[in-house]
Amino acid sequence: MKNPEQTIGNIADKYSTVFISYVDNEGFPITKAMLKPRIREGIKVFWFHTNTSSNKVKFFRENPKASIYFVDKRFFRGVSLIGTVEVLETKEAKEMLWQEGDTMYYREGVTDPDYCVLKFTAVRGRYYSNFHSEDFEI
């Protein structure tokens, strides 16, 4: 991969679904589909919105280790990023990600107690394309 930031950034921006994984209280990995990140800072930091009442938030508060996976089904390639998640409920974080129409998820608006932000920070990754995988540091 010649330019990881560009290659991975293009995959992250193009598709509407990303998979996020966390570890439950028995040490098992759990993977969930999510809407793509609202904000991306290179390939290091990704900002998501979710329900505060979700299991993933509960377990991220106990263990911040996580991975996210973006897949390009058309060309059968993908990237896994490994890092940590911070659960943010500050007014600033919520307002930063809020978009018109989000009341379909969070009825009380930007101050809804069931609305929070996940800040994923990657430390390394693994890219797969053309029957070849490669690891990289971020």
Side-chain angles (χ1 to χ4, degrees):
M1 181 172 38
K2 293 178 183 173
N3 185 336
E5 184 134 354
Q6 181 179 11
T7 302
I8 294 160
N10 287 341
I11 294 172
D13 292 343
K14 187 173 183 181
Y15 299 97
S16 61
T17 305
V18 61
F19 298 93
I20 191 164
S21 298
Y22 57 90
V23 180
D24 73 8
N25 59 353
E26 295 179 13
F28 290 101
I30 308 293
T31 302
K32 298 284 189 173
M34 291 189 65
L35 296 172
K36 75 180 193 175
R38 287 272 169 92
I39 297 173
R40 177 175 69 83
E41 298 172 24
I43 59 171
K44 179 136 183 100
V45 179
F46 297 80
W47 298 80
F48 301 90
H49 64 94
T50 196
N51 295 94
T52 310
S53 60
S54 68
N55 270 343
K56 66 184 158 298
V57 168
K58 172 187 169 188
F59 291 120
F60 281 138
R61 287 183 172 156
E62 295 172 11
N63 181 350
K65 291 181 180 177
S67 68
I68 58 175
Y69 189 81
F70 297 96
V71 63
D72 177 348
K73 292 185 285 188
R74 182 175 177 208
F75 295 106
F76 202 72
R77 62 186 179 150
V79 63
S80 178
L81 299 174
I82 298 159
T84 57
V85 165
E86 292 175 67
V87 178
L88 303 172
E89 296 182 79
T90 64
K91 178 182 176 188
E92 296 78 17
K94 288 175 151 189
E95 287 177 349
M96 182 174 68
L97 262 60
W98 188 261
Q99 292 181 355
E100 187 175 324
D102 279 351
T103 51
M104 72 184 286
Y105 309 112
Y106 318 107
R107 294 177 191 245
E108 296 179 38
V110 73
T111 60
D112 192 321
D114 197 33
Y115 166 51
C116 70
V117 171
L118 301 180
K119 179 184 177 187
F120 174 85
T121 304
V123 294
R124 67 181 186 271
R126 185 167 178 86
Y127 175 70
Y128 175 84
S129 179
N130 297 320
F131 307 106
H132 174 73
S133 294
E134 67 181 280
D135 295 318
F136 58 91
E137 297 294 320
I138 299 178

